[in-house]
Amino acid sequence: MRFAPAALLAACAACAACAACTKEPDPDAAPRRPRPGAPTAPSRPAPPPARPIAAGIDLAGMDRAVRPGDDFFAYANGTWMAQTEIPADRASYGTGAIVSELTAKRTAELIQEAAAKAAPGTDARKVGDFYASYMDEVAIEARGTAPLQPTLDAIAALKDAAGLAAMLGSTIRADVDAFNNTQLHTGNVLGLWVAADLAAPTRYAAFLLQGGLGLPDRDFYIDPAPRMADIRARYEAHLAAMFKLAGLADGAARAKRVIELEARLARAHATRVDSSDVHKGNNRWKRSDFAARAPGLDWERFFAAAGLASQADFIVWQPSAVIGLGATARDVPLPTWKDYLAARAIARGAAVLPKAFVDEQFAFYGTVLSGSTKLRDRWKRAVDATSEALGEVVGKLYVERYFPASEKARAEQMVKNELAAFGRRIDALTWMSAATKARAKAKLAVLKVSVGYPDRWRDHRGLDIAPGDAYGNAERARLFHVKAALRKLGTPVDRGEWAMDPHLVNAVNLPALNAMNFPAGILQPPFFDPKRPAVMDYGAIGAVIGHEISHSFDDQGSEFDETGRLANWWTKEDLAHFKEAAARLVKQYDGYRPFPDLAINGTLTLGENIADLAGLAVAYDAYRIAQGGKQAPVIAGLTGDQQFFLAFAQTWRTKMREPALRQRVLTDGHSPGQYRALTVRNLDVWYGAFGVKAGEALYLGPSDRVRMW
Ligand SMILES: [Zn+2]
């Protein structure tokens, strides 16, 4: 489950609707792994540089004219807020965006070094060659549509239903993820996710997720609203334009048929809300069930072509979509299927085809669907594509340069202190029954927290990267990844395998593995900084770590037991008590008003607000554990406790344009950063640290302070 938005912070296993647990979601962020055939991410000019921060806290960015008890966010960030402009092409700007921009730049430099220096045949060389091929627009223009042509020819040569089934099966890739990184969209008719079995998490299961749409979601085909109708009309024009570029006649007629076929698939799709419900997704089908329950497609041929001929069981995440796919295969004439397959193939390859394809793709996915007006620089797209193809190789280069073993050890010690602090908090809980506490402690004892990068790197032998063949490299990389996923079936689950690239500015909670990953990308200043006292890191990344740990034990984490099995370990009374304690936090956040006519929805954001509260409290305890119970020394006139809370509030600095903030408040499960910073109000120590008194705006009487963990 997601922790944060794709490009910025990606996944929090516990955050069902997560857009950003620890950092601001970035409305500008492009999907890290663009879905096949979909959006080429919009472009952004370079944002203003982060200014150097003295003393580990941005002292100059504070506004000491504000009393901490009146507006702690402004006290910590007021001058920065006043002096910072949101870059013209961004909807928001803040700590997360600054760290991500820096990381992308460093990654590009590392890749270019690899291109120049690495020996042939090495993984580093593959990274260099992949990137250089992607950047070689001259070669790409010169080859024209030649790389695409064999696929179009194979589609044109389809003769019957058996051939269609095999062709559809051959497109299946490992490009979805039901609840770790949460990637619910694939442009292929189905997506494969090989992950721990929900019923027996020591073995891998083959999850099948719905797909096949060129538009983001079923609603885009079904919703009668004028805005959606307009998008459909523009999509039709876009498909026609792509057919023309690919040299296929009668593009307009083909486009019409493709949309009709996709609409049929879409009508059978599950909604996004249903797709986020693990209980609705956990449907076990035998291979023989497909012919009986989803007749119309030659499933044996389909699975054989997908490399799943010997797989006996599946978890079918959205059965209605599989049934709909069978019926559509039976009812829709083959020529229409050929148009559809051609459209999907063109879209899949567009990013590495000539500029006319890239521009047309962006005009629809970037501008019509996302409102962007400028395509991202090619080097940024090349970094993303290289990370998609060779993520752990790029990540390894990154950590070798920017994440020394000493820093990994320091972060691991922090995690250890946080786990200890969390254990003490479980012991002290008043709302959890003794039996449930014992289960919680058992789960905590075996929680696997991985820091920086995986213990074992993924093997990329067998992935052939050819200089000068951008299109072929992308295709081979996708095929390599699905084959690697298929090879896992039948082997024991590796709890040490990472779900996220090490250079991502993000973190992920993996509920079925009872594990979490904190990549080196987020273990960078101002979250984690070797040049400053550890107390500041506890306030910053420590609160993030605590937030994620708490998700494994809250109402979301209660669905997965200590082995990762889908099995609720709370009693009904535990849930009732949890909700009772939560009600006061709902009221607190309902009281925050970014605009006179719009308040934070305390119910919508409850789960994340609870995790923020838990994270901050646990991080504080862990900092005191690290200090042997004492406060950290005074620095720049700030006590240790003050440094802790200021570092916390400064990670939440963010500026958002009004439409983005309004949309965020209405749709996101996370409160905006300026309110997440106010979590401090619920901690007794904050009052002492800043001398906050009754009568000040943020003051809460001791009985009004909410304590969940
Ligand atoms: Zn969260």
Side-chain angles (χ1 to χ4, degrees):
M1 299 164 208
R2 287 257 207 170
F3 181 61
L8 243 217
L9 287 190
C12 150
C15 308
C18 244
C21 278
T22 51
K23 285 197 282 166
E24 281 308 278
D26 181 357
D28 303 312
R32 179 172 65 98
R33 302 192 186 284
R35 36 187 181 265
T40 319
S43 171
R44 309 285 157 204
R51 68 169 159 219
I53 292 177
I57 299 278
D58 180 11
L59 299 171
M62 295 169 63
D63 181 355
R64 293 178 194 255
V66 177
R67 278 190 303 192
D70 280 335
D71 185 345
F72 192 62
F73 181 78
Y75 173 72
N77 299 302
T79 304
W80 182 88
M81 294 291 285
Q83 291 179 349
T84 302
E85 293 268 355
I86 303 173
D89 59 339
R90 295 189 73 101
S92 74
Y93 191 64
T95 301
I98 292 168
V99 181
S100 289
E101 288 284 344
L102 175 66
T103 304
K105 226 174 115 209
R106 288 169 160 183
T107 304
E109 286 164 10
L110 287 168
I111 292 172
Q112 281 162 324
E113 273 178 42
K117 285 188 202 154
T122 59
D123 281 349
R125 181 79 214 187
K126 287 178 188 174
V127 160
D129 286 345
F130 190 101
Y131 180 88
S133 307
Y134 195 104
M135 291 300 291
D136 190 351
E137 292 178 89
V138 174
I140 288 169
E141 289 300 323
R143 294 182 75 189
T145 59
L148 175 68
Q149 202 54 49
T151 305
L152 295 181
D153 291 346
I155 292 166
L158 286 176
K159 288 195 170 52
D160 52 25
L164 173 65
M167 176 70 79
L168 290 173
S170 73
T171 62
I172 299 307
R173 295 293 178 269
D175 55 0
V176 289
D177 175 328
F179 56 77
N180 285 341
N181 279 311
T182 314
Q183 165 56 289
L184 297 173
H185 186 279
T186 170
N188 305 318
V189 289
L190 291 175
L192 174 69
W193 188 45
V194 174
D197 191 327
L198 294 167
T202 54
R203 52 161 260 176
Y204 285 109
F207 294 72
L208 293 176
L209 273 67
Q210 69 189 14
L213 309 183
L215 291 171
D217 189 63
R218 72 194 292 279
D219 291 350
F220 285 78
Y221 296 87
I222 294 164
D223 190 335
R227 182 178 168 267
M228 290 298 201
D230 179 55
I231 285 175
R232 286 191 287 275
R234 286 159 181 259
Y235 180 50
E236 193 174 318
H238 161 69
L239 287 174
M242 289 298 245
F243 279 128
K244 190 172 178 204
L245 288 173
L248 294 167
D250 300 324
R254 289 179 198 260
K256 213 174 190 50
R257 292 194 289 269
V258 170
I259 293 187
E260 280 165 14
L261 192 160
E262 290 185 3
R264 261 195 83 129
L265 296 176
R267 283 193 291 271
H269 272 204
T271 63
R272 203 151 271 253
V273 171
D274 283 350
S275 298
S276 305
D277 183 338
V278 67
H279 296 288
K280 288 187 175 157
N282 188 19
N283 309 290
R284 280 151 199 286
W285 288 33
K286 299 262 173 235
R287 198 164 77 240
S288 56
D289 288 338
F290 286 79
R293 297 172 70 175
L297 182 65
D298 185 338
W299 288 101
E300 286 304 313
R301 279 181 200 273
F302 176 91
F303 285 127
L308 287 159
S310 55
Q311 184 65 20
D313 314 285
F314 295 87
I315 294 180
V316 175
W317 204 249
Q318 301 106 339
S320 64
V322 170
I323 295 165
L325 172 59
T328 308
R330 179 190 60 212
D331 297 344
V332 170
L334 186 62
T336 299
W337 274 106
K338 291 186 182 183
D339 293 332
Y340 167 80
L341 283 165
R344 300 261 54 83
I346 298 165
R348 201 162 53 233
V352 278
L353 285 168
K355 187 172 180 299
F357 286 86
V358 175
D359 289 346
E360 176 57 37
Q361 186 96 333
F362 175 74
F364 180 71
Y365 288 102
T367 304
V368 174
L369 282 186
S370 308
S372 308
T373 51
K374 185 177 168 291
L375 181 63
R376 289 169 79 220
D377 295 340
R378 191 163 186 102
W379 73 264
K380 291 185 183 174
R381 286 177 278 142
V383 167
D384 286 350
T386 310
S387 291
E388 185 182 343
L390 290 144
E392 286 200 2
V393 183
V394 177
K396 189 161 183 269
L397 294 172
Y398 197 87
V399 301
E400 281 168 2
R401 175 78 50 91
Y402 295 109
F403 194 66
S406 56
E407 284 302 278
K408 180 173 160 73
R410 199 165 70 84
E412 283 171 342
Q413 184 57 47
M414 282 185 74
V415 168
K416 224 173 130 188
N417 291 338
E418 302 235 353
L419 292 173
F422 197 82
R424 291 183 198 177
R425 289 209 167 242
I426 290 172
D427 288 335
L429 286 182
T430 51
W431 55 264
M432 190 180 265
S433 67
T436 307
K437 280 185 187 178
R439 294 295 301 274
K441 294 296 284 284
K443 187 171 181 182
L444 186 68
V446 291
L447 177 66
K448 186 176 173 64
V449 183
S450 299
V451 168
Y453 48 90
D455 292 340
R456 264 192 324 283
W457 295 99
R458 210 163 281 166
D459 189 346
H460 286 83
R461 273 175 300 184
L463 172 54
D464 179 26
I465 300 300
D469 184 14
Y471 184 97
N473 290 340
E475 288 279 292
R476 282 188 294 275
R478 285 191 282 262
L479 198 57
F480 176 83
H481 289 304
V482 73
K483 284 183 174 168
L486 289 167
R487 274 197 305 274
K488 293 198 289 188
L489 290 166
T491 67
V493 163
D494 174 9
R495 283 181 75 209
E497 187 186 29
W498 271 45
M500 194 163 268
D501 292 339
H503 54 300
L504 260 192
V505 183
N506 212 327
V508 62
N509 185 325
L510 312 169
L513 299 181
N514 190 19
M516 47 192 75
N517 305 156
F518 289 98
I522 200 169
L523 291 163
Q524 302 190 97
F527 290 97
F528 185 71
D529 185 351
K531 296 197 184 72
R532 67 180 182 181
V535 54
M536 301 177 191
D537 286 352
Y538 277 99
I541 192 73
V544 176
I545 295 169
H547 173 116
E548 285 305 305
I549 291 174
S550 78
H551 272 317
S552 295
F553 302 90
D554 62 14
D555 56 332
Q556 300 166 38
S558 71
E559 300 274 9
F560 292 85
D561 73 10
E562 67 271 21
T563 69
R565 204 161 48 97
L566 184 66
N568 198 304
W569 49 277
W570 278 17
T571 63
K572 277 204 180 80
E573 292 72 37
D574 292 319
L575 185 62
H577 288 149
F578 184 79
K579 285 190 169 157
E580 202 177 281
R584 287 191 299 138
L585 203 61
V586 171
K587 220 177 123 209
Q588 192 177 108
Y589 281 77
D590 277 344
Y592 295 142
R593 288 194 167 271
F595 304 103
D597 62 333
L598 186 66
I600 302 297
N601 181 338
T603 306
L604 175 70
T605 56
L606 176 63
E608 296 308 321
N609 296 335
I610 290 172
D612 281 348
L613 179 50
L616 187 64
V618 165
Y620 181 84
D621 293 353
Y623 135 59
R624 282 303 187 96
I625 290 173
Q627 295 286 333
K630 299 193 190 73
Q631 270 207 48
V634 171
I635 294 208
L638 298 167
T639 66
D641 283 3
Q642 288 175 336
Q643 295 162 43
F644 174 88
F645 287 112
L646 280 167
F648 171 74
Q650 290 194 342
T651 61
W652 287 117
R653 57 173 48 165
T654 184
K655 293 191 76 157
M656 294 183 90
R657 296 188 193 282
E658 179 171 337
L661 180 51
R662 283 181 177 275
Q663 189 185 332
R664 169 76 181 276
V665 170
L666 290 174
T667 60
D668 200 286
H670 302 80
S671 303
Q674 59 267 49
Y675 301 105
R676 299 183 76 169
L678 303 186
T679 305
V680 297
R681 300 174 75 192
N682 296 296
L683 270 69
D684 295 342
V685 282
W686 176 73
Y687 289 82
F690 293 95
V692 176
K693 301 267 181 327
E696 294 180 332
L698 294 178
Y699 180 85
L700 291 171
S703 62
D704 291 329
R705 296 170 200 165
V706 180
R707 182 188 162 121
M708 297 289 302
W709 289 98

